[in-house]
Amino acid sequence: MKLYEYLGKKLFREYGIPVPRGKVVASAEEAAEAAAGLGEVVIKSQVLSGKRGKAGGISFASNPDQAREEAGRILQMEINDLVVEKLLVEEKLKIEQELYLALAVDCSTKLPIVLASLDGGMDVEDVPEERMIKWPVDVSIGLQDYAVREICRQLGVSGSLKNEIISFMPKLYQFFRAMDAELAEINPLAVTAQGLVAADAKVTIDDDAIFRHRELPKIKEKTALEMRADELGLAYVELDGNIAIMANGAGITMATLDMVQHFGGKPANFLDFGGGADVDRTAQALELLLATNPKVLLINIFGGITRCDVVAEAFVKVRERKGFNLPVSFRLVGTNETEGRAMLEKTGIKVFSTMDDAVRQAVEAARAL
Amino acid sequence: MKLYEYLGKKLFREYGIPVPRGKVVASAEEAAEAAAGLGEVVIKSQVLSGKRGKAGGISFASNPDQAREEAGRILQMEINDLVVEKLLVEEKLKIEQELYLALAVDCSTKLPIVLASLDGGMDVEDVPEERMIKWPVDVSIGLQDYAVREICRQLGVSGSLKNEIISFMPKLYQFFRAMDAELAEINPLAVTAQGLVAADAKVTIDDDAIFRHRELPKIKEKTALEMRADELGLAYVELDGNIAIMANGAGITMATLDMVQHFGGKPANFLDFGGGADVDRTAQALELLLATNPKVLLINIFGGITRCDVVAEAFVKVRERKGFNLPVSFRLVGTNETEGRAMLEKTGIKVFSTMDDAVRQAVEAARAL
Amino acid sequence: MAIYINKKTRVLVQGITGKQGSFHTGQMLDYGTHIVGGVSPGKGGQAVEGVPVFDTVFEAMEKEPAEASILFIPAPFARDAALEALDAGIKLLVLIPEHIPLHDAMDIMAFAKHKGAVVVGPNTFGLVSSGYCKIGIMPNKYFIPGPVGVVSRSGTLCYEIVGHLTVNQTGTTTVVGLGGDRVVGLHFIDVLKQFEADPETRVIVLIGEIGGSAEEEAADFIAGGISKPVVAYLAGKSAPPGKRMGHAGAIIERGKGTFDGKVKSLTTAGVKVAALPGQVVRLIQEAM
Amino acid sequence: MAIYINKKTRVLVQGITGKQGSFHTGQMLDYGTHIVGGVSPGKGGQAVEGVPVFDTVFEAMEKEPAEASILFIPAPFARDAALEALDAGIKLLVLIPEHIPLHDAMDIMAFAKHKGAVVVGPNTFGLVSSGYCKIGIMPNKYFIPGPVGVVSRSGTLCYEIVGHLTVNQTGTTTVVGLGGDRVVGLHFIDVLKQFEADPETRVIVLIGEIGGSAEEEAADFIAGGISKPVVAYLAGKSAPPGKRMGHAGAIIERGKGTFDGKVKSLTTAGVKVAALPGQVVRLIQEAM
C-alpha cells in the first residue's frame, strides 16, 4: 500500500525523522490559512504518482493570496489520471544540497538495502549506477553507525554532514523495519542550515503486513473491481482487451494471457483464483469477471489441489443464476477431470484438454465478433 | 549495580511487567497511610541483601495500625549489617502458585539465558538442577514465542498459564536487554486470578553500561573507601587483615593476596591499580591504601606497560608528603626497573626482585608487630 | 541420486492438524514421503494419518529427529514457526504459505543463513525427488522419475509443463518450486548448481517470470558454470508494467524485471527459450 | 607452526591514532608483527609509525587486506568498531578494552559466530606467537620461542609466570590471554584444542582464577581430549565470596566459581596445580 506524502511524513515525524513544517488541506481557502503561518510555501498535490512536479502538481507561493490561487488551480487537476483531493502546504526549505536516500528490500541478498546518492532531487532512474551507493543491512544487527560511516565514505561525504547522516539514517532504518515498509524513499533529502530534512516521503507498506498496522488508513489506489477482488482475496488486474481470463495459479494465468496475445487476441484482465478454491469462491471469481462485460470468456484449469468438478459446478451455478450467453472457451484437466467435464458437456459447453486449443478458440471467437 | 526491589519494580512497570500495587515509605506513619488504600499488605525492608524474610525484614499487616507497628519495628532493624532506610508497602497478593523466572548472562554460551522453574518462592540455590529449565537466547532474533512455548513444555505448563507466560516472558527479556541488566530475577513470580505478577524484583545493572542509563539513581552498596576507589577507577576490595597490598593487574594482585595467606599473613585489601598508570594515579592509589591505616605495606610490581620509575616516583612523593613510617615490602621488576630501584634505594627502601621474597618479608614484618 | 532430498529424508509437518496440513500429509505419505512427525502447539499426543503430533518442534526433534520440515501455518504466525524449526535444527525448510510479510521473510532467511539451513519458498509448491520423496503440495501423478531437472517460480505453470513431459514419457529427477514471493530462500542459481552436480540430471528446465532479477542472475551463472543444456519458459510477456501479476514478485518496477530483458539474458547465455509452454518438450528432446 | 597467528598474519590496528593505539603499534612493529594498516574515523590519510591510517575498516580491507585486527577504542564505542571489523571480514579480532558493557560483548560474540570469526578478549593483553607475531600489549622481552603453550585469564600474572620461564631458558609457542571479563570470545577449551593439535607445543600452562566455570569446563575437556601434560596456576584462593577481584569475571557467586572447586576439577583431570606462581617452572620441567 502506497502512502500519500503527507501520511509518510506524519509517520516519519513519529520516528524522529525531521520533515518540513506544514499542513494538509482540501481547499484553496485552507491553503491560504495554512500559508499564513509559514511564510514562503510549497504546495504539493497529494496523489500516489511520481513526477508530480513535471505534471504541474507542485507549486510555490510567497503569500497567502498566492497560495490560495495556486491551491485552487492544483485542486482542479488530474495527475496521471488521478484526481487531486488534498494538498500539502509546507514551509519552503532553504536547501543547500539535495541528497537521495532510500531503504528498500533487496531480493538478491534477501536483506533490507540502503540506497544513497549525492544526486538527490532528480529521477532515481536517471542516477548513474556508480553514483548510487547500495548497502545491504544484516538484520541480525541492524544498521550500525560503522555502516553509515562507510556509506558516507563511499559517497565522499565527511565532516558535519557525515555526522548528520550518521544520526539520520538509523532512524529511517528503524522506521522501515517497524512499519513493514517495502520502500521508504526520501528524494530529495534536503541539507539545510537546520540540518537534514525529508523534503519528500515516498513510502510503500507491505500489504501482507497491514494486519500489524491497523492504525493506518486504507488507501485506495485501485479500481473498484480490483478493490472487490482484494476483498475476495483474488489476484486481479484490469487490462484493456476483450477476452476475460481466469486460471488457477499466477504463473499459468500469466502464461494464458501471453498465449492469448501470441495468437493475436487481447486479454481483458488477469484473474488468478488460486489453488484449492471451493465452489463459492470460484463462483465469486467468475461473477467478478462477468461484471466487466467481457466479449469472450476463457477459463484455463490445470487441477492439482483445485478440483475440476468444483470449478465446473461453480460455472454451471453462475450460468444458471446470471443466464450469461457469451462464447466460452473452457480448458479443464487434472483432479476429478471426468466429473467436471461431464457436468459441463451436459450444459453444452465444449471442454478442451490443452491450453493451446482453448486459447486458439477464444481468440477466434473474439475475432468473429 | 544492584537495584532496590522498589526501583526494580518501578522499571518493570515501565516495561509492561505487572507488579503489585504499592508505595515506598520511610516512616511508620507513611506506612500506615500507604496501607490505608491497599487492604491487607506486605511490608518489605528495602535492603540490597537476599534472605530478608529469614532475617525478619518482611512482615504482613491487615490494617493501617498493624502496618504502622510492623513498619516501625522493621525500620529499626539491621539486616546483614545493612540499615533499613526504606520500606515497600504493597497489596498482599492472593497467590495460587509461585514460579521462578530470571534472565541472566551465561558465560559459557555468551548469551542471555532464561532460568525458569515451578519451584518459586524458595532460595534459588535450593532448587534441584533438573527442575531449573535453562534456555540460552540467540540475541540475533531475541526471545521468540516458540522458545517460550518450548520452555513451558519443559516445565510441564500448558493451557492458560502457558499463554500468560508467553506474553510475560518476552517483556522481561526486553527489559533485560534494554536496561543492560546482568540479572533480572523474579522470585516468586506469582500466579494470581488477575494473571502473573512479579512479587519480587532482583535486578543488577551492568556497571560498565551505567553510562547508557543516566536516569538511574546511584546506589551505594560499598564502603566509603570502595566508593572512593571507584571514583579513581581503581579495583579495590576491603578485607580484614593488616597487610595492605597494591599490585598492577587483577590476577597478580589476587596471587599476591594468596601468597600472603600462604605464608601465614592476612591481607588488608585487594588493590589493583591497573596497567600503565601515571605518577598521579599511582600516588592516589597509594594514598587510598594509607588511609586504611595498615600495619605493613606490600607493593608488587611486574612492569609491562606499567613503568617501574613511575611507581617509584609516586611512592617517594607520597612518602615525602605524608611522612608515613610503616614497614614497606617492595617488589619491582620490568620496564625501567633500574631507574625505579635507584630512586627507592636512595630513600632507604629495600627492593626485592621476586614476589616470594617480598611477600615473605611483609608477612614477617606483620608478625613482628 | 536426487538433490536436496531423497527417500530417506525424515520430514516433519508443522501445522499438521489444520485442513491443509492434514490433507497434504496424506498426499505426501501416498507419494512415499517419510513423514516422521507433525507439530501443532497444544495438540501433542494426537495423531494425523498415523503420524504422531507434538507440541513443539524441539519435542518432535527429541523423539523423531528430522532433517526437513514443511510448514502449513497461517502467514501471520509463519515467522515464529519457521524460526522454531531452524533453531531446533531443521536443515531444509519448505514454506508453503502465501502472504508472509516481507520483513518476516527477511528475518527467516537471515536466521537460516546463520543456521546453515536451506529454505524453499515461501509461496511455493515445495520440491519433489520424483518417485521417492515429495515435500510439497503438487499433484502426485505428474511427478515420475526421469532425466529432467526442473526449477520454477510458479506452481500450476510448472505442473502444466511437467504434465506435458509426463504425457511424452519424459520424467524428472527433482522439481523445485522457488516460490512466487519477492524474498525467497532458494534462487535459480542455487538449484542450477545442484543440477549441474547431479549425475542423473541430463537437461534442466527453468520456468521463470517477469519481476526481479533472478532470471538475469541465472543467465550469468549458466554462461559461466552450467555445462548441461537448459531450456526455459518465461511467463508475463503481455503483462503491463507496475502491476503485480498474482505473485508478489511478478511485477515490472522502474523498468526492471521485464520479459524482454530476461529472454535476452537467457538467450545470450545459450538457453533455449520456448515461446509457448507446450514447446518445452520439443526443446528438451532436441537438447538430449 | 603457531596457533591462530603467525609471522605472515596481516594485522590492522583500530584506534591507531590514540595514545594507547599508537604506542602499541610501535611495540608490535618492534616485535615483528606485520601491521598493514590502522583505522581511525576522520583521520584517513595520516600515518602512525609509518603505518597508513584509513577512515573505515572497509577502506582498509580494500587497500590493505588483513586477517586480524586489534582494537584500542574506548569501551562505549568498542561494540560498533568490533562489529565493523567482523562485517568487513576480519577473522581474528583482539579486544583490548576493559569495561565493554556485557550486552555489547554478547552482541559482538554472536555476530562473530555468525561470521565465523575468532574473538580474543575483551579485557585481554592479546596473544603472541612467540618470536614471530604479537597482537597485544604484553612486554616484548619475555616472549621468546620455546615448547610451552600458555593460556591465561589474566595479564600481569601471566607475564610473571612467563617471566619465570624465560629466566629458566624456557620459551613459549603461543601465549593467549582470554581476558578478565565474564563474556569473552575464546575459552580455555578452544585454546587447549589448538595446543593439542600444534606439534611444537609440548606442555601446556593454564593460568586461571576464581569465578565462572571456565576452569571446570577445561578440566572436563582435558580429561577427555588432551594428551599433553597440563600445568595450572589459579589465583584467588584467599578471595572472599561475592566480591569482584578486579576482573569482572573474578567473583564467587552463589557458591559457584570457588578456588577449591576448580583445583579439584583440574587435579582430577590429571593437571598439576602449582600452589605458588614460582612453582610452575618446576612442574613444567617435571612434565617434559
Side-chain angles (χ1 to χ4, degrees), chain B residues 107-108 110 112 124 139 176-177 181-182 185 206 208 212 237 248 252 257-258 261 270 302 331, chain D residues 99 101-104 106-107 110 156 159-160 182 184-185 187 217 236-238 244-246 254:
Chain B
C107 301
S108 298
K110 309 160 201 175
V124 63
V139 292
F176 178 75
R177 290 283 287 167
E182 284 178 27
E185 185 182 75
D206 177 12
D208 291 334
R212 290 198 279 240
V237 177
N248 60 329
I252 201 163
L257 267 66
D258 294 349
Q261 200 183 53
F270 170 101
F302 190 101
R331 187 265 186 131
Chain D
H99 298 303
L102 257 180
H103 286 260
D104 291 1
M106 290 194 286
D107 290 344
T156 313
Y159 313 159
E160 171 85 31
R182 274 166 298 170
V184 291
H187 287 188
E217 287 158 17
K237 185 175 185 180
S238 62
R244 215 151 252 165
M245 304 306 272
R254 299 184 168 184

Short mmCIF file of all heavy atoms in Angstrom, two decimals, chain B residues 107-108 110 112 124 139 176-177 181-182 185 206 208 212 237 248 252 257-258 261 270 302 331, chain D residues 99 101-104 106-107 110 156 159-160 182 184-185 187 217 236-238 244-246 254:
data_model
loop_
_atom_site.label_atom_id
_atom_site.label_comp_id
_atom_site.label_asym_id
_atom_site.label_seq_id
_atom_site.Cartn_x
_atom_site.Cartn_y
_atom_site.Cartn_z
N CYS B 107 27.93 -17.21 30.73
CA CYS B 107 29.30 -17.01 30.23
C CYS B 107 29.72 -18.13 29.29
O CYS B 107 30.53 -17.91 28.39
CB CYS B 107 30.27 -16.92 31.39
SG CYS B 107 29.85 -15.57 32.50
N SER B 108 29.19 -19.32 29.45
CA SER B 108 29.59 -20.43 28.60
C SER B 108 29.13 -20.24 27.17
O SER B 108 29.89 -20.34 26.23
CB SER B 108 29.03 -21.75 29.12
OG SER B 108 29.53 -22.00 30.40
N LYS B 110 27.84 -17.41 26.09
CA LYS B 110 27.99 -15.98 25.79
C LYS B 110 26.66 -15.37 25.37
O LYS B 110 26.62 -14.48 24.52
CB LYS B 110 29.04 -15.77 24.69
CG LYS B 110 30.36 -16.46 24.97
CD LYS B 110 31.19 -16.66 23.71
CE LYS B 110 32.21 -17.76 23.90
NZ LYS B 110 32.96 -18.07 22.69
N PRO B 112 22.38 -14.33 26.65
CA PRO B 112 21.41 -14.20 27.74
C PRO B 112 20.79 -15.57 27.97
O PRO B 112 20.62 -16.33 27.01
CB PRO B 112 20.36 -13.24 27.18
CG PRO B 112 21.00 -12.56 26.02
CD PRO B 112 22.01 -13.52 25.47
N VAL B 124 16.93 -19.90 45.34
CA VAL B 124 17.22 -20.49 44.04
C VAL B 124 18.32 -21.54 44.14
O VAL B 124 18.33 -22.52 43.40
CB VAL B 124 17.54 -19.38 43.01
CG1 VAL B 124 18.79 -18.62 43.41
CG2 VAL B 124 17.68 -19.95 41.63
N VAL B 139 20.77 -13.77 20.56
CA VAL B 139 20.50 -12.32 20.52
C VAL B 139 20.16 -11.82 19.12
O VAL B 139 19.58 -10.74 18.98
CB VAL B 139 21.67 -11.48 21.08
CG1 VAL B 139 21.82 -11.70 22.57
CG2 VAL B 139 22.97 -11.75 20.34
N PHE B 176 15.56 -6.80 30.23
CA PHE B 176 16.92 -7.27 30.48
C PHE B 176 17.91 -6.70 29.47
O PHE B 176 18.99 -6.21 29.82
CB PHE B 176 16.91 -8.81 30.40
CG PHE B 176 18.24 -9.47 30.59
CD1 PHE B 176 18.81 -9.56 31.85
CD2 PHE B 176 18.91 -10.03 29.51
CE1 PHE B 176 20.03 -10.19 32.02
CE2 PHE B 176 20.12 -10.67 29.68
CZ PHE B 176 20.69 -10.74 30.95
N ARG B 177 17.52 -6.72 28.21
CA ARG B 177 18.41 -6.23 27.16
C ARG B 177 18.48 -4.70 27.17
O ARG B 177 19.57 -4.13 27.12
CB ARG B 177 17.91 -6.71 25.79
CG ARG B 177 18.07 -8.19 25.57
CD ARG B 177 19.50 -8.59 25.24
NE ARG B 177 19.88 -8.19 23.90
CZ ARG B 177 21.14 -8.19 23.45
NH1 ARG B 177 22.13 -8.55 24.24
NH2 ARG B 177 21.41 -7.81 22.23
N ALA B 181 20.91 -5.26 31.95
CA ALA B 181 20.91 -5.98 33.21
C ALA B 181 21.90 -7.15 33.18
O ALA B 181 22.11 -7.77 32.13
CB ALA B 181 19.51 -6.48 33.53
N GLU B 182 22.52 -7.40 34.31
CA GLU B 182 23.30 -8.62 34.48
C GLU B 182 22.37 -9.73 34.93
O GLU B 182 22.57 -10.90 34.65
CB GLU B 182 24.35 -8.44 35.57
CG GLU B 182 25.53 -7.63 35.17
CD GLU B 182 26.49 -7.48 36.34
OE1 GLU B 182 26.52 -8.34 37.24
OE2 GLU B 182 27.18 -6.46 36.34
N GLU B 185 15.75 -11.01 38.09
CA GLU B 185 15.19 -12.22 38.71
C GLU B 185 13.86 -11.91 39.38
O GLU B 185 13.75 -10.90 40.09
CB GLU B 185 16.19 -12.74 39.75
CG GLU B 185 15.81 -14.04 40.39
CD GLU B 185 16.82 -14.49 41.45
OE1 GLU B 185 16.82 -13.90 42.55
OE2 GLU B 185 17.60 -15.41 41.17
N ASP B 206 24.54 -3.74 34.76
CA ASP B 206 25.96 -3.81 34.46
C ASP B 206 26.63 -2.46 34.72
O ASP B 206 26.28 -1.46 34.10
CB ASP B 206 26.09 -4.20 32.96
CG ASP B 206 27.55 -4.23 32.49
OD1 ASP B 206 28.46 -4.19 33.34
OD2 ASP B 206 27.75 -4.32 31.26
N ASP B 208 29.37 -1.36 33.83
CA ASP B 208 30.03 -0.82 32.65
C ASP B 208 29.06 -0.19 31.66
O ASP B 208 29.48 0.41 30.66
CB ASP B 208 30.83 -1.93 31.94
CG ASP B 208 32.03 -2.37 32.76
OD1 ASP B 208 32.53 -1.55 33.55
OD2 ASP B 208 32.46 -3.53 32.62
N ARG B 212 24.80 4.45 29.87
CA ARG B 212 23.63 4.48 28.99
C ARG B 212 22.33 4.65 29.77
O ARG B 212 21.26 4.67 29.18
CB ARG B 212 23.54 3.16 28.19
CG ARG B 212 24.61 3.01 27.15
CD ARG B 212 24.23 1.96 26.11
NE ARG B 212 24.51 0.62 26.57
CZ ARG B 212 25.35 -0.23 25.95
NH1 ARG B 212 25.99 0.16 24.85
NH2 ARG B 212 25.55 -1.45 26.40
N VAL B 237 39.04 -3.79 47.07
CA VAL B 237 38.14 -4.54 47.94
C VAL B 237 38.73 -4.52 49.35
O VAL B 237 39.90 -4.83 49.55
CB VAL B 237 37.98 -6.02 47.49
CG1 VAL B 237 37.09 -6.79 48.45
CG2 VAL B 237 37.43 -6.09 46.07
N ASN B 248 49.80 -4.44 40.18
CA ASN B 248 49.27 -3.97 38.89
C ASN B 248 48.73 -5.14 38.06
O ASN B 248 49.47 -5.86 37.44
CB ASN B 248 50.33 -3.19 38.12
CG ASN B 248 51.56 -4.04 37.81
OD1 ASN B 248 51.91 -4.94 38.58
ND2 ASN B 248 52.21 -3.78 36.69
N ILE B 252 47.55 -10.82 39.22
CA ILE B 252 48.73 -10.82 40.07
C ILE B 252 48.41 -10.27 41.46
O ILE B 252 49.02 -10.68 42.46
CB ILE B 252 49.91 -10.06 39.40
CG1 ILE B 252 51.22 -10.51 40.05
CG2 ILE B 252 49.74 -8.56 39.48
CD1 ILE B 252 52.44 -10.17 39.23
N LEU B 257 47.80 -11.68 47.22
CA LEU B 257 46.98 -11.95 48.40
C LEU B 257 47.09 -13.42 48.80
O LEU B 257 47.26 -13.75 49.99
CB LEU B 257 45.50 -11.64 48.12
CG LEU B 257 44.98 -10.25 48.46
CD1 LEU B 257 45.63 -9.20 47.57
CD2 LEU B 257 43.45 -10.18 48.30
N ASP B 258 46.96 -14.28 47.79
CA ASP B 258 47.02 -15.72 48.06
C ASP B 258 48.35 -16.09 48.69
O ASP B 258 48.42 -16.90 49.62
CB ASP B 258 46.86 -16.50 46.74
CG ASP B 258 45.48 -16.34 46.12
OD1 ASP B 258 44.58 -15.80 46.79
OD2 ASP B 258 45.31 -16.75 44.95
N GLN B 261 48.60 -15.08 52.31
CA GLN B 261 47.88 -16.06 53.12
C GLN B 261 48.69 -17.37 53.23
O GLN B 261 48.79 -17.96 54.30
CB GLN B 261 46.52 -16.33 52.48
CG GLN B 261 45.51 -16.92 53.45
CD GLN B 261 44.21 -17.25 52.74
OE1 GLN B 261 44.19 -17.93 51.73
NE2 GLN B 261 43.12 -16.74 53.28
N PHE B 270 42.41 -5.77 48.65
CA PHE B 270 42.79 -6.06 47.28
C PHE B 270 42.86 -4.71 46.60
O PHE B 270 41.90 -3.95 46.64
CB PHE B 270 41.71 -6.94 46.64
CG PHE B 270 41.83 -7.12 45.14
CD1 PHE B 270 42.38 -8.30 44.62
CD2 PHE B 270 41.40 -6.14 44.25
CE1 PHE B 270 42.48 -8.48 43.24
CE2 PHE B 270 41.51 -6.32 42.88
CZ PHE B 270 42.06 -7.49 42.38
N PHE B 302 55.13 -5.86 38.55
CA PHE B 302 55.78 -6.51 37.43
C PHE B 302 55.51 -5.59 36.25
O PHE B 302 54.42 -5.57 35.69
CB PHE B 302 55.18 -7.90 37.19
CG PHE B 302 55.97 -8.70 36.20
CD1 PHE B 302 56.84 -9.68 36.63
CD2 PHE B 302 55.85 -8.46 34.84
CE1 PHE B 302 57.58 -10.42 35.72
CE2 PHE B 302 56.59 -9.18 33.93
CZ PHE B 302 57.47 -10.17 34.36
N ARG B 331 58.42 -4.99 45.79
CA ARG B 331 58.97 -5.80 44.71
C ARG B 331 58.82 -5.00 43.42
O ARG B 331 57.74 -4.49 43.14
CB ARG B 331 58.17 -7.11 44.61
CG ARG B 331 58.75 -8.11 43.64
CD ARG B 331 58.13 -8.03 42.26
NE ARG B 331 58.63 -9.11 41.43
CZ ARG B 331 57.88 -9.91 40.71
NH1 ARG B 331 56.58 -9.74 40.67
NH2 ARG B 331 58.43 -10.86 39.99
N HIS D 99 35.99 -2.85 30.47
CA HIS D 99 34.72 -2.15 30.72
C HIS D 99 33.79 -2.08 29.51
O HIS D 99 32.92 -1.21 29.46
CB HIS D 99 34.96 -0.74 31.26
CG HIS D 99 35.66 -0.73 32.58
ND1 HIS D 99 35.18 -1.39 33.68
CD2 HIS D 99 36.84 -0.16 32.96
CE1 HIS D 99 36.01 -1.23 34.69
NE2 HIS D 99 37.04 -0.49 34.27
N PRO D 101 30.51 -2.94 27.91
CA PRO D 101 29.27 -3.44 28.52
C PRO D 101 29.01 -4.91 28.13
O PRO D 101 29.29 -5.33 27.02
CB PRO D 101 28.20 -2.52 27.93
CG PRO D 101 28.92 -1.23 27.67
CD PRO D 101 30.30 -1.64 27.24
N LEU D 102 28.50 -5.64 29.11
CA LEU D 102 28.22 -7.07 28.94
C LEU D 102 27.35 -7.37 27.73
O LEU D 102 27.61 -8.30 26.98
CB LEU D 102 27.44 -7.56 30.16
CG LEU D 102 28.16 -8.35 31.21
CD1 LEU D 102 27.16 -8.70 32.30
CD2 LEU D 102 28.74 -9.61 30.61
N HIS D 103 26.28 -6.59 27.57
CA HIS D 103 25.37 -6.85 26.45
C HIS D 103 26.06 -6.55 25.12
O HIS D 103 25.76 -7.20 24.12
CB HIS D 103 24.07 -6.08 26.62
CG HIS D 103 23.18 -6.65 27.68
ND1 HIS D 103 22.11 -7.46 27.40
CD2 HIS D 103 23.23 -6.57 29.03
CE1 HIS D 103 21.53 -7.84 28.54
NE2 HIS D 103 22.19 -7.31 29.55
N ASP D 104 26.95 -5.58 25.12
CA ASP D 104 27.73 -5.31 23.90
C ASP D 104 28.62 -6.50 23.59
O ASP D 104 28.76 -6.91 22.44
CB ASP D 104 28.59 -4.05 24.08
CG ASP D 104 27.75 -2.79 24.17
OD1 ASP D 104 26.51 -2.89 24.12
OD2 ASP D 104 28.34 -1.69 24.28
N MET D 106 28.09 -9.58 24.38
CA MET D 106 27.26 -10.67 23.85
C MET D 106 26.93 -10.44 22.38
O MET D 106 26.96 -11.36 21.57
CB MET D 106 25.98 -10.82 24.69
CG MET D 106 26.26 -11.37 26.08
SD MET D 106 24.75 -11.93 26.94
CE MET D 106 24.00 -10.37 27.38
N ASP D 107 26.63 -9.19 22.04
CA ASP D 107 26.33 -8.86 20.63
C ASP D 107 27.54 -9.16 19.74
O ASP D 107 27.40 -9.71 18.65
CB ASP D 107 25.97 -7.38 20.48
CG ASP D 107 24.62 -7.04 21.09
OD1 ASP D 107 23.84 -7.95 21.35
OD2 ASP D 107 24.37 -5.84 21.31
N ALA D 110 28.00 -12.97 19.32
CA ALA D 110 27.00 -13.59 18.45
C ALA D 110 27.32 -13.27 16.99
O ALA D 110 27.23 -14.15 16.12
CB ALA D 110 25.60 -13.07 18.81
N THR D 156 49.13 -9.50 33.90
CA THR D 156 50.40 -9.38 34.60
C THR D 156 50.80 -10.70 35.25
O THR D 156 51.98 -11.07 35.28
CB THR D 156 50.35 -8.26 35.66
OG1 THR D 156 49.77 -7.11 35.05
CG2 THR D 156 51.73 -7.92 36.15
N TYR D 159 52.44 -12.61 32.70
CA TYR D 159 53.81 -12.15 32.44
C TYR D 159 54.74 -12.68 33.55
O TYR D 159 55.87 -13.07 33.31
CB TYR D 159 53.95 -10.62 32.43
CG TYR D 159 52.93 -9.85 31.61
CD1 TYR D 159 52.69 -8.50 31.87
CD2 TYR D 159 52.21 -10.46 30.58
CE1 TYR D 159 51.78 -7.77 31.13
CE2 TYR D 159 51.29 -9.72 29.84
CZ TYR D 159 51.07 -8.39 30.13
OH TYR D 159 50.16 -7.66 29.42
N GLU D 160 54.23 -12.63 34.78
CA GLU D 160 55.00 -13.09 35.94
C GLU D 160 55.46 -14.54 35.70
O GLU D 160 56.63 -14.87 35.86
CB GLU D 160 54.13 -13.01 37.19
CG GLU D 160 54.70 -13.65 38.45
CD GLU D 160 55.64 -12.72 39.22
OE1 GLU D 160 55.42 -11.49 39.18
OE2 GLU D 160 56.61 -13.22 39.83
N ARG D 182 33.56 -11.34 31.98
CA ARG D 182 32.72 -12.54 32.10
C ARG D 182 32.39 -13.14 30.75
O ARG D 182 32.37 -14.34 30.58
CB ARG D 182 31.43 -12.20 32.87
CG ARG D 182 31.64 -12.31 34.36
CD ARG D 182 30.51 -11.68 35.09
NE ARG D 182 30.45 -10.25 34.77
CZ ARG D 182 29.46 -9.45 35.09
NH1 ARG D 182 28.42 -9.94 35.74
NH2 ARG D 182 29.49 -8.18 34.80
N VAL D 184 33.75 -13.56 27.24
CA VAL D 184 34.93 -13.43 26.40
C VAL D 184 34.80 -14.41 25.23
O VAL D 184 34.07 -15.40 25.31
CB VAL D 184 36.24 -13.70 27.18
CG1 VAL D 184 36.50 -12.60 28.20
CG2 VAL D 184 36.21 -15.07 27.84
N GLY D 185 35.53 -14.11 24.18
CA GLY D 185 35.42 -14.91 22.95
C GLY D 185 36.00 -16.30 23.10
O GLY D 185 35.29 -17.29 23.03
N HIS D 187 37.58 -19.45 25.06
CA HIS D 187 37.60 -20.08 26.37
C HIS D 187 38.81 -21.03 26.42
O HIS D 187 39.41 -21.34 25.39
CB HIS D 187 36.31 -20.88 26.58
CG HIS D 187 35.11 -20.01 26.80
ND1 HIS D 187 33.89 -20.50 27.17
CD2 HIS D 187 34.95 -18.67 26.72
CE1 HIS D 187 33.02 -19.51 27.30
NE2 HIS D 187 33.65 -18.39 27.03
N GLU D 217 35.16 -26.46 33.08
CA GLU D 217 34.91 -26.95 31.73
C GLU D 217 36.22 -27.41 31.08
O GLU D 217 36.26 -28.43 30.39
CB GLU D 217 34.24 -25.86 30.87
CG GLU D 217 32.78 -25.62 31.26
CD GLU D 217 32.23 -24.25 30.85
OE1 GLU D 217 32.84 -23.59 29.99
OE2 GLU D 217 31.20 -23.84 31.41
N GLY D 236 43.26 -16.40 43.44
CA GLY D 236 42.01 -16.09 44.12
C GLY D 236 41.68 -17.02 45.27
O GLY D 236 40.58 -16.98 45.81
N LYS D 237 42.66 -17.80 45.72
CA LYS D 237 42.42 -18.73 46.83
C LYS D 237 41.91 -18.00 48.07
O LYS D 237 41.04 -18.49 48.79
CB LYS D 237 43.73 -19.46 47.17
CG LYS D 237 43.56 -20.53 48.24
CD LYS D 237 44.84 -21.32 48.48
CE LYS D 237 44.57 -22.46 49.46
NZ LYS D 237 45.77 -23.24 49.72
N SER D 238 42.45 -16.81 48.31
CA SER D 238 42.10 -16.08 49.54
C SER D 238 40.93 -15.12 49.36
O SER D 238 40.58 -14.40 50.29
CB SER D 238 43.33 -15.30 50.01
OG SER D 238 43.70 -14.34 49.02
N ARG D 244 34.08 -8.75 43.71
CA ARG D 244 34.73 -8.79 42.41
C ARG D 244 36.20 -8.43 42.60
O ARG D 244 36.52 -7.32 43.03
CB ARG D 244 34.04 -7.76 41.52
CG ARG D 244 33.95 -8.17 40.11
CD ARG D 244 32.73 -7.55 39.42
NE ARG D 244 31.73 -8.56 39.17
CZ ARG D 244 30.46 -8.31 38.86
NH1 ARG D 244 30.04 -7.07 38.80
NH2 ARG D 244 29.63 -9.30 38.64
N MET D 245 37.11 -9.37 42.28
CA MET D 245 38.53 -9.12 42.49
C MET D 245 39.16 -8.54 41.21
O MET D 245 39.88 -9.22 40.48
CB MET D 245 39.24 -10.42 42.90
CG MET D 245 38.65 -11.08 44.14
SD MET D 245 38.52 -9.99 45.58
CE MET D 245 40.14 -10.25 46.31
N GLY D 246 38.88 -7.28 40.96
CA GLY D 246 39.49 -6.59 39.82
C GLY D 246 38.88 -6.96 38.49
O GLY D 246 38.29 -6.13 37.82
N ARG D 254 26.92 -17.15 44.48
CA ARG D 254 26.01 -18.26 44.79
C ARG D 254 26.74 -19.60 44.90
O ARG D 254 26.30 -20.61 44.36
CB ARG D 254 24.92 -18.34 43.72
CG ARG D 254 24.08 -17.07 43.66
CD ARG D 254 22.95 -17.17 42.68
NE ARG D 254 22.05 -16.02 42.91
CZ ARG D 254 20.91 -15.83 42.28
NH1 ARG D 254 20.48 -16.70 41.41
NH2 ARG D 254 20.16 -14.79 42.53
#
